[in-house]
Amino acid sequence: MTEQNQENHPQKSADSKKVPSRRSRFSTSFFVTFVIMFGIWLLLSGKFDLFHISLGVISCLMVAFLSADLLLPYPKIGKMPGLWLRFVRYIPWLLYQVFVANIHVMYLVFHPRMMELIDPRIMRFKSRLKSDMSLVTLANSITLTPGTITIYISVYGNVTFHVIDIESGKSLPFIMEARIAEVFDEI
Amino acid sequence: MDSVFLYSAIFLALVMALSLYRAVFGPTILDRLIGVNAIGSKTTALLILIGLIYDRVDMFVDIALAYAMLNFIAVLAASRYFQKRKGLYDEARRETKRRDGVMRET
Amino acid sequence: MDIIVTILLICGLFFFTGGAVGIIRMPDFYSRLHPAGKLDTMGLLMSMIAMALYTLHDFSVDAMLTSLKIILIVVFVFITSPTATHAIVDAGVRASLEPWTKEGTTHYDLGA
């Protein structure tokens, strides 16, 4: 583990200039996956003696070896802290929007004349987001907000979504797209 | 504080019975799946409430986590499975026809 | 502290009730998913925060770990709930279930 760790450091600066080799890509994602897995192990086991920690190290090594390239196929270590910081800043905004939209759907559900208020229809727009991760985040954010459900999203950014009334689908997905472009640095 | 948890657990169980209506009488298979998914996410909260009532949260938290994971995988597997079944398609046709009939009457 | 926990818990239960009533009242499969997936997630968030706060009442390392685990459940549900909803919608689209609209059932090209 320590060997691979030291191996990573000289290549970190080269990452931004040229496409890293397959081996270095694998060892970077291996290391990051191991750290994440071990953190979750410590959280879930709650025992900090030598026996349990060594069990955790062994099983985390196995899991990281088998599935490192699934979790992070193209690791960019240099960009990661900034990305995570912006992502953490994005979450409270998303939670606030989800809360507001929840109140709206609650009002619709408990309204006695609900059938006249709702107007379900299908909308589509073309997103300018490029990377897979940002498209997944956009689709999940749209689905998480009540009133809109992503039906289909293509790799080129064509989004089809179902809205429960016109108001909830009019502006929010576009604001959301702009925020996600900011988070993933794709402006 | 214990009684608050007890009454909210009972209330949650009643709400689950309400969602059970959709799981039993849902017109299509996917409606039943929605009902089952709703019951599953309520059960996660109910498990932790039970843990708080019996003062064993540290144990029930792990069960709730495993249950949330199991619920997710069950819904995923069931929706993938029924995608390939022809029965769902026929049922959808029938449902659309029935609804159109109702629409014309009103 | 107890008052905050109780208020959050009641808010969570209110959202859960909304989800259950919503999936009974909504007219078709697509619109039923709106209350089912989302109001439940919000209710889970509220009631879980209440329970995590209550667990932190007597402060110790164990209680801290337990409430962190409860927050982990919330994070997990927030990632998986949209995925499960999307899987159900996808199954519905492939079975060509048609969405209910005010003008009656119209034929949409869903593009999937």
Side-chain angles (χ1 to χ4, degrees):
Chain A
M1 196 55 232
T2 48
E3 278 173 21
Q4 275 163 344
N5 190 8
Q6 283 158 3
E7 212 176 77
N8 274 340
H9 280 299
Q11 279 161 354
K12 224 199 296 185
S13 55
D15 258 2
S16 53
K17 277 169 193 141
K18 60 178 177 122
V19 180
S21 72
R22 194 160 170 205
R23 181 182 291 268
S24 84
R25 226 163 59 195
F26 181 76
S27 56
T28 315
S29 59
F30 181 86
F31 181 64
V32 175
T33 314
F34 177 78
V35 169
I36 294 170
M37 293 294 150
F38 195 61
I40 293 175
W41 171 278
L42 285 182
L43 181 60
L44 284 182
S45 84
K47 295 193 172 71
F48 299 106
D49 51 358
L50 188 66
F51 176 67
H52 286 95
I53 284 185
S54 54
L55 274 185
V57 169
I58 292 168
S59 46
C60 289
L61 278 177
M62 277 166 63
V63 169
F65 180 74
L66 289 176
S67 59
D69 43 358
L70 288 178
L71 186 65
L72 302 161
Y74 299 103
K76 294 191 187 94
I77 286 288
K79 282 187 181 173
M80 237 175 230
L83 181 72
W84 285 356
L85 199 72
R86 273 171 287 158
F87 195 73
V88 166
R89 275 218 311 261
Y90 170 69
I91 289 172
W93 179 81
L94 179 68
L95 277 183
Y96 173 70
Q97 295 297 333
V98 168
F99 186 75
V100 170
N102 259 305
I103 300 290
H104 179 65
V105 173
M106 283 290 274
Y107 169 75
L108 283 183
V109 162
F110 282 117
H111 200 282
R113 285 181 287 108
M114 178 199 74
M115 295 297 262
E116 294 165 26
L117 283 179
I118 62 170
D119 186 13
R121 56 188 59 225
I122 286 174
M123 293 178 156
R124 43 170 62 91
F125 72 98
K126 176 121 175 66
S127 163
R128 61 204 159 83
L129 299 173
K130 293 272 180 332
S131 71
D132 290 353
M133 205 59 207
S134 54
L135 283 174
V136 168
T137 313
L138 177 67
N140 266 11
S141 308
I142 288 177
T143 308
L144 204 56
T145 319
T148 49
I149 293 179
T150 314
I151 290 175
Y152 185 71
I153 184 162
S154 75
V155 279
Y156 306 110
N158 293 311
V159 189
T160 312
F161 62 104
H162 181 266
V163 292
I164 197 146
D165 61 354
I166 307 273
E167 273 170 55
S168 43
K170 214 159 46 185
S171 61
L172 193 56
F174 304 102
I175 308 172
M176 214 170 245
E177 187 199 356
R179 294 291 288 236
I180 289 170
E182 202 179 305
V183 167
F184 285 91
D185 210 7
E186 288 182 17
I187 309 164
Chain B
M1 208 58 201
D2 250 11
S3 57
V4 172
F5 289 134
L6 188 62
Y7 285 121
S8 14
I10 292 171
F11 183 73
L12 207 54
L14 289 178
V15 170
M16 277 162 74
L18 221 60
S19 329
L20 197 63
Y21 172 83
R22 197 43 82 195
V24 174
F25 296 106
T28 65
I29 295 173
L30 293 171
D31 285 309
R32 288 166 217 263
L33 204 58
I34 293 172
V36 170
N37 189 17
I39 290 177
S41 64
K42 287 175 185 66
T43 310
T44 316
L46 188 63
L47 275 172
I48 295 189
L49 275 175
I50 292 172
L52 282 172
I53 292 167
Y54 289 106
D55 277 333
R56 292 297 306 271
V57 200
D58 47 345
M59 188 174 84
F60 274 88
V61 140
D62 294 340
I63 302 173
L65 189 57
Y67 193 86
M69 223 169 268
L70 211 62
N71 183 33
F72 170 59
I73 290 172
V75 168
L76 220 58
S79 61
R80 287 284 126 180
Y81 174 69
F82 288 120
Q83 225 169 53
K84 300 215 170 95
R85 280 268 304 270
K86 267 204 127 154
L88 179 60
Y89 184 75
D90 297 339
E91 213 173 341
R93 290 280 109 161
R94 223 171 32 239
E95 165 71 3
T96 311
K97 260 184 209 154
R98 187 186 65 78
R99 221 165 43 202
D100 280 359
V102 170
M103 288 297 295
R104 245 173 258 127
E105 276 166 25
T106 48
Chain C
M1 193 69 157
D2 280 2
I3 297 167
I4 299 173
V5 170
T6 312
I7 289 173
L8 274 175
L9 203 59
I10 288 173
C11 280
L13 288 179
F14 189 56
F15 278 115
F16 274 136
T17 320
V21 172
I23 65 173
I24 287 181
R25 290 191 66 196
M26 288 286 176
D28 86 321
F29 156 72
Y30 291 96
S31 46
R32 256 170 225 152
L33 273 168
H34 290 276
K38 277 39 98 42
L39 291 180
D40 275 9
T41 315
M42 201 65 201
L44 202 71
L45 172 74
M46 293 239 162
S47 48
M48 287 297 186
I49 287 175
M51 289 178 230
L53 276 179
Y54 184 76
T55 320
L56 274 179
H57 220 121
D58 41 347
F59 196 82
S60 68
V61 177
D62 273 353
M64 185 93 175
L65 220 60
T66 308
S67 54
L68 265 179
K69 273 185 207 172
I70 296 178
I71 298 300
L72 189 70
I73 294 178
V74 174
V75 172
F76 183 76
V77 167
F78 257 74
I79 296 170
T80 58
S81 167
T83 317
T85 310
H86 182 74
I88 298 175
V89 167
D90 201 39
V93 168
R94 284 184 196 212
S96 64
L97 278 170
E98 277 150 8
W100 179 92
T101 53
K102 259 190 182 159
E103 295 86 37
T105 317
T106 45
H107 209 85
Y108 278 105
D109 173 29
L110 290 176

